Amino acid sequence: NMLDEAMRRSAYGLRDAADQFLAGIMSASVDAGNVIGSTVTPKVPTKADAYEYLVDLGTLLDEANVPTEGRWCVVPSWFHGLMLKDDRFVSAGTAKTDQVLQNGMVGEAAGFSILKSNNVPNTAGAKYYIMAGHSMATTYAEQILDLVTYKPEKRFGDAVKGLHVYGGKVLRGTALAALIASKS
């Protein structure tokens, strides 16, 4: 059914737009003391030190008295790939590492739930703001106010249109930390 597939693609587009919005407001609101690297001299992580950068982000949050339960870190695909090359995450033998090998995911590391996103804010595709934080840092609300099926005027068939509203605000910039990093 083409309408069902179009609605799935639209739902993905709505999530993607909201994700970009949240990434933008969070990266702009990180407390200046909670940033590792800079846009002038970004850090260049390797598979050997990607984990250490996560530990450093965790240390910044510890020093800001951010609770350890519920911390998250959003990384771009290339950083996620570095973590998958680290033997500490993918060596076989434990249930957790076997799951990583099977699913290709880094679920948790350095006290963070690791999330992968193509919407990690970056400057010209070169300087990425790898964000870490806690849910108390931001607030977010969304709602689909209206969803209507209708008949397009110049075509046969059915169409759907809707109104998706969302908003968010950073409440505690000290509960966020960022690593400004470059691939190379």
Side-chain angles (χ1 to χ4, degrees):
N1 189 342
M2 288 178 45
L3 188 56
D4 289 342
E5 179 59 28
M7 289 181 67
R8 271 192 289 280
R9 285 194 329 236
S10 295
Y12 180 83
L14 293 175
R15 285 192 311 254
D16 193 45
D19 193 35
Q20 289 175 28
F21 167 76
L22 275 173
I25 64 168
M26 285 192 297
S27 64
S29 300
V30 176
D31 188 65
N34 285 359
V35 178
I36 300 170
S38 70
T39 55
V40 176
T41 56
K43 301 295 182 180
V44 182
T46 65
K47 72 177 185 175
D49 64 6
Y51 179 79
E52 281 76 15
Y53 283 119
L54 290 180
V55 171
D56 293 343
L57 289 172
T59 302
L60 290 173
L61 294 176
D62 288 340
E63 291 171 351
N65 295 321
V66 176
T68 55
E69 293 289 321
R71 288 185 182 178
W72 48 262
C73 184
V74 182
V75 300
S77 296
W78 62 268
F79 192 90
H80 181 254
L82 292 175
M83 295 184 72
L84 288 175
K85 292 176 184 175
D86 189 336
D87 288 339
R88 292 174 284 191
F89 300 107
V90 294
S91 60
T94 67
K96 194 171 229 179
T97 56
D98 287 348
Q99 185 179 9
V100 169
L101 286 171
Q102 185 178 30
N103 295 330
M105 297 182 352
V106 176
E108 294 181 358
F112 294 107
S113 293
I114 306 296
L115 308 166
K116 179 175 64 168
S117 175
N118 288 331
N119 292 327
V120 172
N122 65 70
T123 307
K127 298 167 190 154
Y128 293 81
Y129 287 75
I130 297 173
M131 300 292 303
H134 190 275
S135 59
M136 71 181 201
T138 60
T139 183
Y140 174 75
E142 72 177 336
Q143 185 174 2
I144 296 179
L145 292 178
D146 199 9
L147 190 64
V148 179
T149 58
Y150 68 99
K151 300 279 187 192
E153 185 177 318
K154 295 183 180 183
R155 294 194 170 100
F156 290 106
D158 296 318
V160 177
K161 61 182 175 179
L163 178 60
H164 178 226
V165 295
Y166 54 88
K169 184 174 183 175
V170 173
L171 302 174
R172 293 180 183 94
T174 56
L176 296 172
L179 165 66
I180 301 175
S182 181
K183 291 184 208 182
S184 56

